[in-house]
Amino acid sequence: MVARIYKPSKTAMQSGMAQTKKWVLELEYDMAKSIEPLMGWTGSSDTNSQVQLWFESKEVAINYAKKNGIPYTVLYANSRKHIIRENGYGDNFAYNKKIPWTH
């Protein structure tokens, strides 16, 4: 049983950065998944694959894995760079605009 320690990235469906600050320790699958013959659902009897532990920092997650004897790998993702424009959307509504806004 190997654990992955990573910092999740934001999903395509969210515009904010919620749930991207903490680190996750996630256990990988030990057993192969099987297909249920009647409905075609994919399933497994490995309940450890459903475990996700959230930590405040990478070091705390690594210490937890070492303390419990869990081999781990740390995955680093590219950090998101914020785009800050000189004249942003808010400048469209500035009270001191030199040129008035028209249709």
XYZ file of all heavy atoms in Angstrom:
837
model
N 0.848 -1.169 0.000
C 0.000 0.000 0.000
C 0.899 1.239 0.000
O 1.606 1.494 0.950
C -0.898 -0.031 1.245
C -1.688 1.196 1.462
S -2.899 1.075 2.788
C -1.929 0.719 4.196
N 0.867 1.986 -1.060
C 1.661 3.198 -1.213
C 0.724 4.389 -1.168
O -0.378 4.361 -1.717
C 2.438 3.175 -2.551
C 3.237 4.450 -2.729
C 3.343 1.970 -2.608
N 1.171 5.450 -0.517
C 0.356 6.658 -0.413
C 0.923 7.735 -1.331
O 2.122 7.809 -1.555
C 0.340 7.157 1.023
N 0.024 8.546 -1.868
C 0.421 9.722 -2.651
C 0.132 10.946 -1.802
O -0.959 11.083 -1.252
C -0.372 9.816 -3.948
C -0.080 8.720 -4.922
C -0.819 8.919 -6.214
N -2.267 8.952 -5.978
C -3.136 9.590 -6.738
N -2.727 10.256 -7.791
N -4.419 9.565 -6.468
N 1.100 11.846 -1.710
C 0.917 13.101 -1.001
C 0.999 14.203 -2.043
O 1.995 14.318 -2.753
C 1.986 13.287 0.089
C 1.868 12.177 1.126
C 1.845 14.655 0.743
C 2.968 12.166 2.160
N -0.063 14.989 -2.152
C -0.101 16.027 -3.173
C -0.987 17.181 -2.717
O -1.764 17.060 -1.770
C -0.604 15.484 -4.502
C -2.029 14.975 -4.465
C -3.078 15.780 -4.854
C -2.318 13.680 -4.045
C -4.382 15.318 -4.820
C -3.611 13.210 -4.011
C -4.639 14.032 -4.404
O -5.929 13.581 -4.356
N -0.851 18.290 -3.399
C -1.688 19.457 -3.169
C -2.646 19.538 -4.349
O -2.218 19.708 -5.486
C -0.815 20.705 -3.101
C -1.469 21.885 -2.493
C -0.435 22.977 -2.286
C -1.020 24.112 -1.510
N -0.042 25.166 -1.302
N -3.958 19.366 -4.132
C -4.883 19.310 -5.259
C -4.990 20.648 -5.985
O -4.880 21.713 -5.386
C -6.209 18.926 -4.620
C -6.081 19.309 -3.201
C -4.634 19.223 -2.854
N -5.193 20.572 -7.287
C -5.396 21.780 -8.079
C -6.886 22.060 -8.172
O -7.712 21.208 -7.880
C -4.805 21.605 -9.473
O -5.425 20.527 -10.121
N -7.219 23.250 -8.590
C -8.638 23.584 -8.697
C -9.243 22.849 -9.883
O -8.573 22.594 -10.874
C -8.851 25.084 -8.812
C -8.478 25.708 -10.116
C -8.764 27.205 -10.065
C -8.783 27.794 -11.428
N -9.976 27.581 -12.178
N -10.503 22.528 -9.769
C -11.176 21.821 -10.843
C -11.572 22.803 -11.936
O -11.564 24.018 -11.733
C -12.437 21.098 -10.338
O -13.368 22.083 -9.902
C -12.099 20.165 -9.196
N -11.955 22.293 -13.068
C -12.379 23.146 -14.170
C -13.716 23.816 -13.887
O -14.064 24.799 -14.521
C -12.484 22.325 -15.452
N -14.454 23.304 -12.922
C -15.774 23.845 -12.624
C -15.746 24.921 -11.547
O -16.789 25.449 -11.194
C -16.706 22.715 -12.176
C -16.923 21.664 -13.239
S -17.547 22.325 -14.785
C -19.169 22.843 -14.297
N -14.586 25.241 -10.996
C -14.539 26.260 -9.966
C -13.651 27.416 -10.405
O -12.647 27.218 -11.076
C -14.073 25.679 -8.632
C -12.602 25.342 -8.554
C -12.242 24.633 -7.287
O -12.426 23.437 -7.203
N -11.722 25.339 -6.321
N -14.058 28.610 -10.041
C -13.278 29.780 -10.406
C -12.360 30.205 -9.278
O -11.354 30.847 -9.509
C -14.204 30.941 -10.774
O -15.023 31.255 -9.676
N -12.697 29.837 -8.052
C -11.884 30.210 -6.907
C -10.825 29.168 -6.601
O -10.637 28.200 -7.330
N -10.135 29.374 -5.498
C -9.046 28.482 -5.111
C -9.408 27.661 -3.873
O -8.524 27.253 -3.124
C -7.784 29.311 -4.842
C -7.286 30.071 -6.054
S -6.887 29.021 -7.449
C -5.451 28.200 -6.838
N -10.695 27.423 -3.647
C -11.129 26.651 -2.489
C -10.610 25.220 -2.572
O -10.490 24.641 -3.642
C -12.653 26.639 -2.404
N -10.275 24.667 -1.444
C -9.774 23.299 -1.292
C -8.495 23.050 -2.097
O -8.262 21.941 -2.570
C -10.842 22.280 -1.670
C -12.050 22.344 -0.768
C -13.059 21.274 -1.093
O -12.980 20.598 -2.105
N -14.033 21.113 -0.225
N -7.673 24.058 -2.256
C -6.388 23.876 -2.927
C -5.234 24.277 -2.028
O -4.092 24.247 -2.454
C -6.318 24.709 -4.213
O -6.461 26.090 -3.883
C -7.379 24.290 -5.203
N -5.515 24.646 -0.797
C -4.473 25.101 0.118
C -3.877 23.956 0.935
O -2.728 24.006 1.333
C -5.024 26.158 1.070
C -5.716 27.307 0.379
C -4.742 28.313 -0.142
C -5.449 29.559 -0.599
N -5.421 29.774 -2.010
N -4.662 22.930 1.215
C -4.208 21.837 2.071
C -3.595 20.708 1.244
O -3.815 20.612 0.044
C -5.379 21.297 2.891
C -5.923 22.304 3.870
C -6.995 21.709 4.726
C -7.507 22.739 5.711
N -8.510 22.197 6.595
N -2.853 19.843 1.906
C -2.214 18.688 1.277
C -3.041 17.447 1.560
O -3.655 17.317 2.613
C -0.807 18.511 1.817
C 0.134 19.552 1.308
C 0.251 20.835 1.747
C 1.066 19.410 0.241
N 1.209 21.493 1.025
C 1.723 20.640 0.093
C 1.414 18.358 -0.602
C 2.704 20.845 -0.861
C 2.399 18.570 -1.537
C 3.024 19.795 -1.672
N -3.060 16.517 0.609
C -3.865 15.299 0.711
C -2.946 14.082 0.721
O -2.010 13.997 -0.075
C -4.851 15.189 -0.478
C -5.648 13.910 -0.398
C -5.773 16.373 -0.516
N -3.220 13.160 1.627
C -2.570 11.857 1.622
C -3.632 10.866 1.163
O -4.659 10.720 1.813
C -2.054 11.487 3.009
C -1.284 10.183 3.091
C -0.088 10.357 4.010
C -2.138 9.044 3.566
N -3.395 10.249 0.028
C -4.379 9.353 -0.582
C -3.727 7.991 -0.804
O -2.641 7.897 -1.366
C -4.819 9.950 -1.912
C -5.942 9.227 -2.573
C -6.370 9.964 -3.831
O -5.571 9.984 -4.789
O -7.472 10.512 -3.848
N -4.385 6.937 -0.365
C -3.865 5.586 -0.523
C -4.204 5.064 -1.915
O -5.310 5.271 -2.404
C -4.443 4.671 0.552
C -4.127 5.095 1.993
C -4.892 4.230 2.971
C -2.652 5.018 2.257
N -3.251 4.396 -2.532
C -3.475 3.853 -3.871
C -4.140 2.486 -3.783
O -4.173 1.849 -2.733
C -2.145 3.754 -4.623
C -1.551 5.108 -4.932
C -0.279 5.005 -5.731
O 0.180 3.880 -5.992
O 0.263 6.055 -6.087
N -4.643 2.021 -4.916
C -5.359 0.747 -4.968
C -4.404 -0.419 -4.758
O -3.334 -0.466 -5.345
C -6.048 0.573 -6.317
C -7.051 1.655 -6.631
C -6.842 2.541 -7.671
C -8.208 1.780 -5.883
C -7.758 3.540 -7.958
C -9.132 2.773 -6.158
C -8.899 3.642 -7.194
O -9.808 4.622 -7.470
N -4.823 -1.372 -3.912
C -4.050 -2.591 -3.728
C -4.604 -3.732 -4.573
O -3.875 -4.615 -4.980
C -4.080 -3.023 -2.256
C -3.025 -2.302 -1.441
O -2.139 -1.669 -2.048
O -3.096 -2.356 -0.204
N -5.882 -3.705 -4.812
C -6.535 -4.804 -5.509
C -7.073 -4.303 -6.852
O -7.385 -3.132 -7.009
C -7.676 -5.355 -4.658
C -7.238 -5.770 -3.265
S -8.618 -6.189 -2.230
C -8.969 -7.806 -2.834
N -7.209 -5.211 -7.772
C -7.757 -4.851 -9.084
C -9.264 -4.633 -8.960
O -9.947 -5.272 -8.168
C -7.476 -5.961 -10.084
N -9.774 -3.730 -9.750
C -11.215 -3.481 -9.750
C -11.904 -4.528 -10.618
O -11.325 -5.054 -11.558
C -11.504 -2.085 -10.287
C -11.027 -1.005 -9.354
C -11.578 0.320 -9.748
C -11.212 1.342 -8.701
N -11.926 2.567 -8.851
N -13.147 -4.801 -10.285
C -13.911 -5.793 -11.039
C -15.176 -5.145 -11.590
O -15.652 -4.139 -11.071
C -14.284 -6.964 -10.123
O -15.059 -6.502 -9.043
N -15.696 -5.714 -12.635
C -16.925 -5.216 -13.253
C -18.075 -6.109 -12.823
O -18.025 -7.328 -12.993
C -16.793 -5.186 -14.782
C -15.681 -4.215 -15.168
C -18.103 -4.793 -15.428
C -15.382 -4.191 -16.644
N -19.098 -5.483 -12.262
C -20.273 -6.219 -11.819
C -21.048 -6.667 -13.053
O -21.338 -5.859 -13.932
C -21.108 -5.290 -10.930
C -22.143 -5.986 -10.089
C -23.483 -6.000 -10.780
O -23.781 -5.093 -11.551
O -24.224 -6.946 -10.555
N -21.360 -7.969 -13.191
C -21.904 -8.477 -14.451
C -23.318 -7.993 -14.793
O -23.634 -7.827 -15.966
C -21.893 -9.990 -14.283
C -21.770 -10.243 -12.835
C -21.136 -9.041 -12.223
N -24.171 -7.739 -13.808
C -25.552 -7.378 -14.103
C -25.675 -5.931 -14.596
O -26.239 -5.664 -15.653
C -26.430 -7.585 -12.864
C -27.905 -7.232 -13.027
C -28.537 -8.148 -14.070
C -28.626 -7.347 -11.708
N -25.116 -4.991 -13.845
C -25.269 -3.577 -14.165
C -24.057 -2.979 -14.875
O -24.142 -1.914 -15.450
C -25.538 -2.767 -12.896
C -26.837 -3.148 -12.205
S -28.283 -2.796 -13.198
C -28.315 -1.047 -13.168
N -22.922 -3.662 -14.813
C -21.720 -3.152 -15.459
C -20.973 -2.118 -14.643
O -20.091 -1.433 -15.153
N -21.304 -1.998 -13.349
C -20.616 -1.043 -12.491
C -19.229 -1.557 -12.149
O -18.985 -2.754 -12.074
C -21.393 -0.813 -11.208
C -22.715 -0.151 -11.417
C -23.101 0.600 -12.493
C -23.830 -0.186 -10.537
N -24.372 1.049 -12.340
C -24.861 0.579 -11.129
C -24.072 -0.769 -9.314
C -26.087 0.783 -10.546
C -25.293 -0.576 -8.729
C -26.285 0.190 -9.338
N -18.325 -0.639 -11.913
C -16.975 -1.001 -11.496
C -16.922 -0.951 -9.983
O -17.377 0.009 -9.366
C -15.948 -0.018 -12.080
O -16.108 0.010 -13.485
C -14.546 -0.442 -11.751
N -16.347 -1.975 -9.373
C -16.288 -2.025 -7.923
C -15.025 -2.702 -7.432
O -14.255 -3.282 -8.199
N -14.820 -2.606 -6.133
C -13.651 -3.199 -5.511
C -13.971 -3.455 -4.054
O -14.794 -2.767 -3.451
C -12.450 -2.259 -5.628
O -11.368 -2.772 -4.902
N -13.323 -4.427 -3.474
C -13.500 -4.695 -2.050
C -12.403 -4.027 -1.227
O -12.321 -4.229 -0.028
C -13.504 -6.206 -1.794
O -12.275 -6.759 -2.218
N -11.561 -3.222 -1.871
C -10.479 -2.515 -1.197
C -11.007 -1.180 -0.667
O -11.154 -0.220 -1.421
C -9.322 -2.292 -2.169
C -8.146 -1.597 -1.522
O -8.049 -1.651 -0.277
O -7.331 -1.019 -2.251
N -11.307 -1.119 0.632
C -11.856 0.111 1.203
C -10.782 1.153 1.484
O -11.097 2.325 1.663
C -12.627 -0.179 2.494
O -11.751 -0.842 3.406
C -13.834 -1.050 2.212
N -9.522 0.754 1.522
C -8.450 1.724 1.761
C -8.293 2.696 0.602
O -7.747 3.783 0.778
C -7.122 1.008 1.998
C -7.047 0.399 3.372
O -7.711 0.857 4.295
N -6.258 -0.647 3.512
N -8.756 2.329 -0.578
C -8.637 3.222 -1.722
C -9.585 4.416 -1.615
O -9.464 5.372 -2.368
C -8.909 2.464 -3.015
O -10.242 1.996 -3.026
N -10.521 4.362 -0.668
C -11.461 5.463 -0.477
C -10.982 6.472 0.562
O -11.638 7.476 0.801
C -12.818 4.907 -0.046
C -13.414 3.966 -1.060
C -14.663 3.285 -0.525
O -15.124 3.572 0.567
N -15.200 2.375 -1.311
N -9.831 6.207 1.172
C -9.341 7.051 2.256
C -8.579 8.246 1.703
O -7.675 8.102 0.881
C -8.432 6.230 3.202
C -7.803 7.116 4.250
C -9.222 5.112 3.844
N -8.961 9.428 2.144
C -8.238 10.664 1.850
C -8.080 11.412 3.160
O -9.058 11.716 3.825
C -9.002 11.551 0.877
C -8.865 11.198 -0.549
C -9.479 12.285 -1.437
O -10.266 13.106 -0.994
N -9.109 12.269 -2.690
N -6.841 11.707 3.516
C -6.569 12.469 4.730
C -6.041 13.838 4.334
O -5.141 13.941 3.492
C -5.542 11.730 5.599
C -5.944 10.338 6.056
C -4.796 9.666 6.781
C -7.156 10.390 6.942
N -6.589 14.887 4.925
C -6.204 16.266 4.600
C -5.310 16.801 5.698
O -5.603 16.644 6.889
C -7.448 17.136 4.458
C -8.286 16.758 3.281
C -9.134 15.676 3.193
C -8.339 17.412 2.031
N -9.719 15.641 1.960
C -9.244 16.699 1.224
C -7.725 18.535 1.514
C -9.541 17.076 -0.070
C -8.022 18.918 0.223
C -8.917 18.189 -0.562
N -4.210 17.479 5.303
C -3.250 18.029 6.243
C -2.976 19.490 5.908
O -3.111 19.912 4.760
C -1.932 17.242 6.196
C -2.082 15.811 6.629
C -2.282 14.815 5.694
C -2.027 15.472 7.961
C -2.420 13.500 6.086
C -2.166 14.166 8.367
C -2.368 13.168 7.432
N -2.561 20.245 6.916
C -2.278 21.662 6.736
C -1.002 21.909 5.937
O -0.881 22.913 5.262
C -2.174 22.363 8.094
C -3.478 22.403 8.857
C -4.533 23.248 8.170
O -4.189 24.259 7.535
O -5.713 22.888 8.262
N -0.024 20.991 6.028
C 1.233 21.190 5.311
C 1.768 19.850 4.824
O 1.350 18.778 5.279
C 2.265 21.879 6.198
O 2.672 21.017 7.233
N 2.724 19.928 3.923
C 3.345 18.731 3.363
C 4.122 17.979 4.442
O 4.102 16.747 4.497
C 4.266 19.134 2.215
C 5.084 18.010 1.651
C 6.014 18.488 0.576
C 7.023 19.404 1.188
N 8.132 19.782 0.370
N 4.808 18.715 5.311
C 5.623 18.088 6.352
C 4.779 17.279 7.325
O 5.186 16.203 7.771
C 6.426 19.150 7.104
C 7.530 19.794 6.291
C 7.037 20.835 5.300
O 5.901 21.363 5.488
O 7.752 21.107 4.325
N 3.609 17.782 7.662
C 2.713 17.051 8.573
C 2.243 15.757 7.917
O 2.171 14.708 8.567
C 1.518 17.940 8.982
C 0.530 17.172 9.837
C 1.993 19.181 9.698
N 1.934 15.796 6.633
C 1.503 14.587 5.921
C 2.628 13.564 5.840
O 2.406 12.358 6.021
C 1.024 14.952 4.519
N 3.850 14.028 5.594
C 4.999 13.115 5.529
C 5.262 12.502 6.892
O 5.526 11.295 6.998
C 6.235 13.864 4.989
C 6.043 14.194 3.520
C 7.497 13.053 5.195
C 7.111 15.075 2.931
N 5.179 13.306 7.950
C 5.384 12.772 9.301
C 4.323 11.736 9.653
O 4.632 10.729 10.307
C 5.377 13.899 10.327
C 6.633 14.743 10.246
O 7.666 14.287 9.755
N 6.538 15.969 10.706
N 3.088 11.948 9.230
C 2.025 10.973 9.483
C 2.328 9.644 8.776
O 2.172 8.574 9.357
C 0.678 11.526 9.016
C -0.450 10.536 9.187
C -1.096 10.410 10.405
C -0.864 9.721 8.136
C -2.126 9.501 10.578
C -1.889 8.815 8.298
C -2.520 8.705 9.524
O -3.521 7.795 9.687
N 2.771 9.734 7.533
C 3.082 8.516 6.779
C 4.267 7.774 7.410
O 4.246 6.544 7.523
C 3.378 8.864 5.327
N 5.284 8.501 7.828
C 6.440 7.864 8.464
C 6.055 7.235 9.794
O 6.501 6.128 10.117
C 7.549 8.896 8.685
C 8.278 9.274 7.421
C 9.372 10.280 7.737
C 10.105 10.700 6.485
N 11.130 11.727 6.773
N 5.237 7.933 10.564
C 4.821 7.443 11.884
C 4.033 6.146 11.779
O 4.151 5.261 12.610
C 3.994 8.516 12.580
C 3.497 8.153 13.950
C 2.680 9.287 14.527
C 1.976 8.860 15.791
N 1.095 9.906 16.294
N 3.211 6.023 10.720
C 2.377 4.831 10.550
C 2.998 3.797 9.624
O 2.348 2.805 9.286
C 1.003 5.248 10.035
C 0.233 6.003 11.098
O 0.056 5.517 12.204
N -0.189 7.209 10.774
N 4.229 4.011 9.193
C 4.924 3.024 8.354
C 4.343 2.875 6.967
O 4.373 1.783 6.393
N 3.825 3.951 6.400
C 3.229 3.913 5.068
C 4.240 4.465 4.068
O 4.671 5.612 4.203
C 1.938 4.760 5.019
C 0.922 4.263 6.046
C 1.335 4.748 3.624
C -0.261 5.184 6.224
N 4.644 3.681 3.072
C 5.523 4.246 2.041
C 4.748 5.293 1.229
O 3.557 5.142 0.976
C 5.912 3.046 1.178
C 4.925 1.993 1.499
C 4.365 2.264 2.851
N 5.439 6.347 0.836
C 4.736 7.456 0.191
C 5.567 8.025 -0.946
O 6.770 7.824 -1.033
C 4.438 8.560 1.206
C 5.668 9.188 1.800
C 6.268 10.293 1.203
C 6.252 8.667 2.946
C 7.403 10.867 1.729
C 7.387 9.230 3.478
C 7.962 10.329 2.874
O 9.087 10.890 3.400
N 4.877 8.753 -1.831
C 5.523 9.560 -2.861
C 4.883 10.943 -2.805
O 3.675 11.069 -2.609
C 5.329 8.971 -4.270
O 3.924 8.855 -4.530
C 5.969 7.614 -4.403
N 5.704 11.953 -2.968
C 5.225 13.330 -2.945
C 5.156 13.821 -4.383
O 6.133 13.746 -5.122
C 6.141 14.231 -2.108
C 5.631 15.667 -2.106
C 6.251 13.714 -0.682
N 3.986 14.310 -4.783
C 3.785 14.825 -6.128
C 3.681 16.346 -6.068
O 2.907 16.890 -5.283
C 2.496 14.249 -6.732
C 2.414 12.726 -6.764
C 1.037 12.295 -7.232
C 3.470 12.169 -7.675
N 4.466 17.008 -6.896
C 4.447 18.466 -6.956
C 3.754 18.895 -8.233
O 4.073 18.415 -9.312
C 5.867 19.031 -6.920
C 6.590 18.726 -5.631
C 7.489 17.667 -5.547
C 6.359 19.490 -4.503
C 8.144 17.389 -4.372
C 7.013 19.213 -3.319
C 7.905 18.164 -3.259
O 8.547 17.887 -2.086
N 2.834 19.827 -8.115
C 2.117 20.351 -9.275
C 2.631 21.745 -9.591
O 3.265 22.400 -8.756
C 0.620 20.405 -8.993
N 2.363 22.190 -10.787
C 2.715 23.558 -11.152
C 1.810 24.516 -10.397
O 0.600 24.333 -10.345
C 2.549 23.780 -12.651
C 3.495 22.928 -13.447
O 4.548 22.552 -12.951
N 3.137 22.622 -14.672
N 2.405 25.540 -9.825
C 1.596 26.501 -9.087
C 0.928 27.467 -10.064
O 1.473 27.790 -11.115
C 2.450 27.274 -8.086
O 3.447 27.987 -8.775
N -0.233 27.919 -9.688
C -1.010 28.813 -10.542
C -0.497 30.228 -10.369
O -0.338 30.711 -9.258
C -2.479 28.730 -10.155
C -3.368 29.635 -10.943
C -4.825 29.388 -10.566
N -5.678 30.185 -11.388
C -6.440 31.164 -10.927
N -6.437 31.449 -9.650
N -7.200 31.849 -11.741
N -0.276 30.896 -11.472
C 0.158 32.282 -11.440
C -1.057 33.168 -11.695
O -1.787 32.978 -12.659
C 1.224 32.529 -12.501
C 2.483 31.772 -12.214
C 3.521 32.009 -13.264
C 4.734 31.201 -12.893
N 5.445 30.692 -14.003
N -1.275 34.134 -10.829
C -2.405 35.033 -10.978
C -2.105 36.057 -12.072
O -1.012 36.594 -12.154
C -2.697 35.748 -9.669
C -3.131 34.810 -8.591
N -4.409 34.315 -8.522
C -2.465 34.260 -7.563
C -4.508 33.506 -7.488
N -3.341 33.452 -6.893
N -3.084 36.308 -12.890
C -2.949 37.283 -13.960
C -3.527 38.604 -13.456
O -4.714 38.708 -13.164
C -3.701 36.822 -15.227
C -3.126 35.498 -15.708
C -3.621 37.883 -16.304
C -3.930 34.857 -16.804
N -2.663 39.585 -13.337
C -3.104 40.896 -12.876
C -2.871 41.882 -14.014
O -1.737 42.122 -14.421
C -2.340 41.327 -11.617
C -2.589 40.318 -10.503
C -2.763 42.716 -11.192
C -1.762 40.551 -9.271
N -3.962 42.408 -14.549
C -3.864 43.346 -15.657
C -3.763 44.775 -15.123
O -4.300 45.086 -14.068
C -5.081 43.214 -16.567
C -5.148 41.861 -17.254
C -6.334 41.775 -18.173
N -7.550 41.754 -17.364
C -8.689 42.303 -17.721
N -8.796 42.926 -18.857
N -9.745 42.223 -16.952
N -3.118 45.627 -15.884
C -2.975 47.023 -15.469
C -4.335 47.699 -15.409
O -4.670 48.374 -14.447
C -2.055 47.758 -16.442
C -1.791 49.194 -16.050
C -0.852 49.878 -17.012
O -0.031 49.197 -17.639
O -0.966 51.105 -17.139
N -5.117 47.533 -16.438
C -6.475 48.080 -16.472
C -7.455 46.916 -16.425
O -7.775 46.324 -17.440
C -6.709 48.917 -17.729
C -5.814 50.122 -17.774
O -5.528 50.700 -16.740
N -5.348 50.494 -18.939
N -7.901 46.581 -15.247
C -8.788 45.449 -15.074
C -10.232 45.801 -15.348
O -10.576 46.896 -15.801
N -11.110 44.875 -15.052
C -12.539 45.041 -15.299
C -13.114 46.191 -14.481
O -14.008 46.907 -14.915
C -13.261 43.739 -14.963
C -14.752 43.780 -15.157
C -15.299 43.801 -16.428
C -15.612 43.793 -14.074
C -16.669 43.832 -16.615
C -16.977 43.820 -14.240
C -17.502 43.837 -15.522
O -18.848 43.873 -15.701
N -12.593 46.394 -13.283
C -13.103 47.452 -12.424
C -12.879 48.844 -12.986
O -13.607 49.786 -12.648
N -11.880 48.992 -13.855
C -11.626 50.307 -14.450
C -12.742 50.726 -15.410
O -12.845 51.905 -15.751
C -10.286 50.323 -15.187
C -9.126 50.336 -14.221
O -9.350 50.680 -13.042
O -8.012 50.004 -14.633
N -13.551 49.809 -15.855
C -14.678 50.168 -16.709
C -15.681 51.054 -15.975
O -16.444 51.787 -16.599
C -15.406 48.921 -17.210
C -14.548 48.095 -18.126
O -13.590 48.589 -18.696
N -14.891 46.830 -18.263
N -15.691 50.967 -14.644
C -16.682 51.689 -13.851
C -16.051 52.757 -12.968
O -16.657 53.199 -12.003
C -17.468 50.695 -12.991
C -18.061 49.594 -13.794
C -17.459 48.349 -13.835
C -19.208 49.794 -14.538
C -18.000 47.322 -14.600
C -19.752 48.781 -15.300
C -19.144 47.546 -15.338
N -14.830 53.153 -13.281
C -14.146 54.163 -12.475
C -14.854 55.515 -12.611
O -15.342 55.870 -13.681
C -12.694 54.276 -12.909
N -14.908 56.262 -11.526
C -15.585 57.563 -11.547
C -14.732 58.646 -12.206
O -15.240 59.694 -12.579
C -15.965 57.981 -10.125
C -14.786 58.252 -9.230
C -14.236 59.522 -9.141
C -14.224 57.231 -8.478
C -13.152 59.765 -8.334
C -13.144 57.459 -7.669
C -12.603 58.737 -7.592
O -11.533 58.971 -6.785
N -13.441 58.417 -12.343
C -12.568 59.437 -12.912
C -12.059 59.052 -14.301
O -10.930 59.349 -14.653
C -11.401 59.689 -11.961
C -10.599 58.429 -11.693
O -10.975 57.359 -12.120
N -9.520 58.560 -10.966
N -12.913 58.415 -15.096
C -12.505 58.028 -16.456
C -12.327 59.271 -17.323
O -13.108 60.216 -17.229
C -13.553 57.120 -17.086
C -13.471 55.687 -16.596
C -14.458 54.843 -17.308
C -14.071 54.721 -18.727
N -14.096 53.433 -19.304
N -11.330 59.256 -18.141
C -11.074 60.397 -19.022
C -12.026 60.387 -20.230
O -12.422 61.431 -20.728
C -9.634 60.354 -19.498
C -8.632 60.307 -18.357
C -7.593 61.345 -18.528
C -6.489 61.273 -17.535
N -6.747 61.356 -16.180
N -12.386 59.183 -20.689
C -13.277 59.054 -21.833
C -14.577 58.430 -21.343
O -14.552 57.365 -20.726
C -12.649 58.176 -22.929
C -11.327 58.780 -23.388
C -13.599 58.008 -24.110
C -10.516 57.866 -24.268
N -15.732 59.054 -21.567
C -16.981 58.466 -21.062
C -17.327 57.166 -21.804
O -17.020 57.008 -22.979
C -18.017 59.553 -21.336
C -17.430 60.407 -22.404
C -15.943 60.323 -22.253
N -17.981 56.290 -21.090
C -18.375 55.012 -21.657
C -19.694 55.175 -22.400
O -20.632 55.796 -21.918
C -18.537 53.987 -20.539
C -18.897 52.641 -21.034
C -18.056 51.693 -21.518
C -20.200 52.076 -21.115
N -18.733 50.584 -21.873
C -20.062 50.781 -21.636
C -21.468 52.536 -20.791
C -21.149 49.945 -21.848
C -22.534 51.686 -21.002
C -22.375 50.408 -21.525
N -19.741 54.657 -23.620
C -20.983 54.716 -24.400
C -21.194 53.375 -25.081
O -20.307 52.544 -25.168
C -20.910 55.812 -25.491
O -19.841 55.512 -26.362
C -20.721 57.176 -24.877
N -22.374 53.211 -25.651
C -22.679 51.974 -26.367
C -22.024 51.986 -27.701
O -22.063 52.368 -28.637
C -24.182 51.768 -26.509
C -24.796 51.378 -25.204
N -24.742 50.132 -24.701
C -25.467 52.110 -24.288
C -25.363 50.057 -23.563
N -25.824 51.252 -23.287
